[in-house]
Amino acid sequence: MIHWMLNTLKVHWKALLIWLLGILLPLLGVGLIAEDLLDKEPFTFEEPFMRWLNSHSTPFLDALAITLGVVGSIKIIGPISVLICVFALQHRRAYGVYFLLSTLGAGLLNVIVKVVFNRPRPQFWEWLVNEPAASFPSGHAMYSAALSTALIALLWHTRYRLHMLILGVLFAVSVGISRIYLGVHYPTDVVAGWGAGMAWSLALWRILKSRWQTHPSRTVPAQPATADQLDQA
């Protein structure tokens, strides 16, 4: 048993690492935050951190945060996702289906969780934007994380993977922090959005990739034996 486990770890350590760091740990973090919210446990660090962040506000940062909020919203990410999906479908149908499920699925999941928890938004100062929906989890953080993770997954085996990794992380982090800066989300909303978006997109990628690799249409058909091979049989 130990020998089998060591062999499995040796062969599949990359996949196991992805499941652990990219899916299980983020989901664990989201679960812990959700449990505390259900138990009405206060996150005492949130208000001081948000007020500290707001104390460094400037007109330029205000405009940047508002712009990131617009770019990271479903109104922008949605159409962009559809365009990328159409492009992917034209080149490889499976990738297009994955991208559609990853981004739009994250949006649907976010709506459901918001309804379940219905966490009121913070009211520490007057907002610069209008946000009527519930606070937990941050839709902007979740959409941007799912979109970035999906693009990183699709480009991972190309020469653009490092560029996409850097851009994706910067985009998701910037969008999430901008929501805290504007005062429309608690830090735990954003962290949960990041974790849920990344875990959803990455788990979907691993599951669908496994199905593609084992699908009958991907198996190599047996080649007919040559005359020399028949003579040697």
Side-chain angles (χ1 to χ4, degrees):
M1 176 62 72
I2 296 178
H3 181 70
W4 175 84
M5 293 177 62
L6 290 176
N7 284 338
T8 302
L9 183 61
K10 183 178 180 180
V11 175
H12 302 289
W13 69 270
K14 291 183 179 179
L16 294 174
L17 195 63
I18 291 174
W19 276 101
L20 177 62
L21 299 181
I23 301 172
L24 297 181
L25 286 182
L27 287 180
L28 177 60
V30 174
L32 292 175
I33 294 173
E35 182 182 15
D36 285 345
L37 286 178
L38 291 175
D39 293 338
K40 308 297 183 182
E41 294 287 341
F43 299 95
T44 56
F45 72 93
E46 293 190 300
E47 182 176 352
F49 174 75
M50 293 178 68
R51 291 194 180 278
W52 173 83
L53 197 62
N54 180 255
S55 69
H56 294 80
S57 62
T58 65
F60 170 76
L61 291 178
D62 290 348
L64 178 61
I66 293 173
T67 301
L68 286 170
V70 174
V71 174
S73 68
I74 192 64
K75 296 178 182 178
I76 301 298
I77 289 184
I80 291 176
S81 299
V82 171
L83 291 176
I84 296 176
C85 178
V86 171
F87 176 80
L89 285 171
Q90 292 176 345
H91 289 77
R92 187 167 180 179
R93 181 175 177 273
Y95 287 176
V97 171
Y98 159 69
F99 193 84
L100 183 65
L101 291 175
S102 177
T103 53
L104 299 187
L108 178 60
L109 182 62
N110 182 264
V111 172
I112 294 173
V113 177
K114 279 183 180 292
V115 171
V116 171
F117 285 87
N118 196 29
R119 185 187 194 185
R121 290 184 182 269
Q123 300 287 341
F124 300 139
W125 59 81
E126 186 177 353
W127 300 340
L128 298 176
V129 293
N130 182 30
E131 295 291 350
S135 187
F136 180 85
S138 167
H140 285 71
M142 193 165 176
Y143 303 149
S144 59
L147 173 68
S148 299
T149 303
L151 289 175
I152 292 169
L154 291 176
L155 297 177
W156 187 252
H157 293 292
T158 72
R159 60 179 179 175
Y160 304 108
R161 67 176 180 179
L162 182 59
H163 302 82
M164 191 63 246
L165 179 63
I166 295 173
L167 289 175
V169 171
L170 288 177
F171 174 66
V173 170
S174 298
V175 169
I177 292 178
S178 73
R179 306 306 287 169
I180 304 173
Y181 174 89
L182 291 171
V184 296
H185 276 294
Y186 293 100
T188 48
D189 298 334
V190 172
V191 172
W194 283 334
M198 181 179 69
W200 163 260
S201 186
L202 200 53
L204 195 62
W205 171 254
R206 296 301 306 175
I207 293 171
L208 292 179
K209 187 177 180 181
S210 177
R211 287 177 60 88
W212 299 333
Q213 291 174 341
T214 57
H215 194 276
S217 63
R218 293 188 58 86
T219 59
V220 179
Q223 299 295 328
T226 63
D228 293 338
Q229 291 174 329
L230 292 175
D231 291 340
Q232 296 173 2

